[in-house]
Each structure stands twice: as structure tokens, then as C-alpha cells.
Amino acid sequence: GNSVTQMEGPVTLSEEAFLTINCTYTATGYPSLFWYVQYPGEGLQLLLKATKADDKGSNKGFEATYRKETTSFHLEKGSVQVSDSAVYFCALSSREDYKLSFGAGTTVTVRA
Amino acid sequence: EPEVTQTPSHQVTQMGQEVILRCVPISNHLYFYWYRQILGQKVEFLVSFYNNEISEKSEIFDDQFSVERPDGSNFTLKIRSTKLEDSAMYFCASSVESGGDTQYFGPGTRLTVL
């Protein structure tokens, strides 16, 4: 079945530091890949997505590239802000699926 | 921008009681989902619903759980006899299509079973 393995947290960074969160997946077929973000006390928000190999999703300065050869979808941001403090979830959904399969989530704290 | 809404935001109940969690999906979406997140753990799929039928369910979604779309806008999750381990955040989501389409999540209902 489908599964997502996500970098363990928590991650603590200083403002303007570079952030990367590793995500690898196992799936049948050609899944769509997602990053969702959960800010403190809030629900899940879509951060970015990619639907086919070599696609790059981007939003709010975050980027992730769908790498089929390494089955990865690592999240990166060049310069984080305090407001980026949140839990980040990598997720996938196959064409044959009705559900999203989530990684364990990575808690990111950015200090001023 | 359209969004998924959920009520209540927090529900406290006694073990063995029935609870109904309510969701209003985005109006032109056709696929509806429930997920749960036990505190500190990953988000887990419970059930998906399309055309007034369950299209997929997880092992968690046993006979104690049921879903319904009672009218053209609401989508509900019922837990018949709550257990302590049902305490979690429950998220509703909706999408236009299945199979890789983006799912949009509501803010969640925090269920506490005492």
C-alpha cells in the first residue's frame, strides 16, 4: 500500500535560516504529492502540490520537486520567518485512491 | 474563497454516549472525507464518501462509526458509543474529484471523551 516517510522533528531554526524537510514515499502507480501545513490551533492547509514527475510545487517561498527516481518530495525554504512555525505534513494520493496518506508530521519552530 | 466548515469546534462527551460531528463541504465538491488526528500522532484516514455511498474506509472505521449526507450541504460523522480512545481531532475534507485531486480541510472538531 501507499506510505509516506517524513523526517523526524522537531526542528528549531533561527529566522532567515534555510529549511529542508525530507519526505520519501512508497506508492503504486503515479501518485500526486502534497505538503500540508498546520499552524498552532488551526486545521490543515494545503501548502503546495505536484502531480507528476519533475513537477515543482511552490507557495509562500516554499518549494518541493517531485522526484520519481528517488521517490522523494523534499520541502525547502531559503529563508524562514517566525510565522513559518508550524507542523508540516507530507502526503500522497494515488489515481486509484480515495484517501490521502500522511507522513508523521514535522514540527518546525523558528526563533527570532 | 470557499472553505470547509465544521461544528462544533470542541465537543466533550461521556464514554458510551453518541456524538455527531458536522461538516459543510465546499459547495461544488463531490467527494467527502473524514480523518482523525490523535494528539501528537499522524493524520489518519477514516472514510470517503461519494454519490451517497461510502467509497473507501479504513480499519478504524468500524461499526461504531457511520457517515451521512442528510441534505444537500451537510456531511456528518456519527460515533454511536464513544470510547476514551476516540478522543482526537476530527477533520472533514472535500474535493472535486478523487484519485490525486487536492483535498481541502476544515478547521477540525476536537472530541474529548471522558
Side-chain angles (χ1 to χ4, degrees):
Chain A
N2 295 339
S3 68
V4 176
T5 302
Q6 193 174 334
M7 174 178 145
E8 295 279 334
V11 174
T12 302
L13 302 164
S14 298
E15 222 169 10
E16 299 183 5
F18 181 85
L19 170 68
T20 182
I21 304 175
N22 289 340
C23 171
T24 56
Y25 67 89
T26 303
T28 53
Y30 302 94
S32 293
L33 301 174
F34 306 85
W35 279 100
Y36 282 85
V37 59
Q38 186 177 32
Y39 297 105
E42 298 186 15
L44 296 164
Q45 299 177 25
L46 176 69
L47 181 59
L48 53 84
K49 66 182 276 191
T51 58
K52 59 183 189 295
D54 300 324
D55 265 3
K56 179 187 282 188
S58 61
N59 186 24
K60 299 182 181 180
F62 289 88
E63 291 183 340
T65 300
Y66 189 142
R67 300 283 188 205
K68 190 169 184 304
E69 63 277 11
T70 54
T71 61
S72 65
F73 193 55
H74 304 323
L75 182 69
E76 296 182 336
K77 185 173 185 182
S79 177
V80 293
Q81 306 300 312
V82 172
S83 56
D84 294 324
S85 298
V87 182
Y88 293 83
F89 292 94
C90 186
L92 71 82
S93 179
S94 297
R95 302 280 182 270
E96 303 78 26
D97 245 341
Y98 291 95
K99 64 180 182 289
L100 281 167
S101 298
F102 283 87
T106 301
T107 301
V108 173
T109 302
V110 180
R111 299 176 306 196
Chain B
E1 185 176 325
E3 56 184 22
V4 177
T5 59
Q6 290 184 242
T7 53
S9 56
H10 192 188
Q11 173 94 45
V12 181
T13 190
Q14 296 290 325
M15 192 168 55
Q17 294 297 303
E18 174 183 288
V19 294
I20 297 176
L21 310 183
R22 291 183 167 79
C23 168
V24 179
I26 295 173
S27 62
N28 65 327
H29 287 190
L30 301 177
Y31 293 83
F32 315 117
Y33 313 85
W34 284 101
Y35 293 81
R36 78 172 185 190
Q37 184 183 28
I38 295 171
L39 188 63
Q41 298 186 23
K42 68 161 63 176
V43 179
E44 302 172 290
F45 168 77
L46 293 177
V47 65
S48 60
F49 192 84
Y50 169 72
N51 200 26
N52 284 318
E53 289 184 350
I54 289 174
S55 41
E56 187 175 354
K57 61 182 181 179
S58 72
E59 294 172 352
I60 303 167
F61 194 87
D62 61 21
D63 292 344
Q64 293 300 312
F65 291 88
S66 63
V67 288
E68 192 179 29
R69 189 154 162 82
D71 53 43
S73 58
N74 290 283
F75 178 52
T76 62
L77 174 70
K78 182 193 291 186
I79 309 175
R80 288 190 184 81
S81 177
T82 50
K83 309 184 192 69
L84 294 176
E85 55 265 36
D86 293 327
S87 295
M89 182 73 89
Y90 288 80
F91 292 107
C92 175
S94 67
S95 64
V96 175
E97 298 176 356
S98 67
D101 195 21
T102 300
Q103 295 182 21
Y104 294 89
F105 284 76
T109 294
R110 178 163 297 285
L111 176 65
T112 302
V113 182
L114 303 176

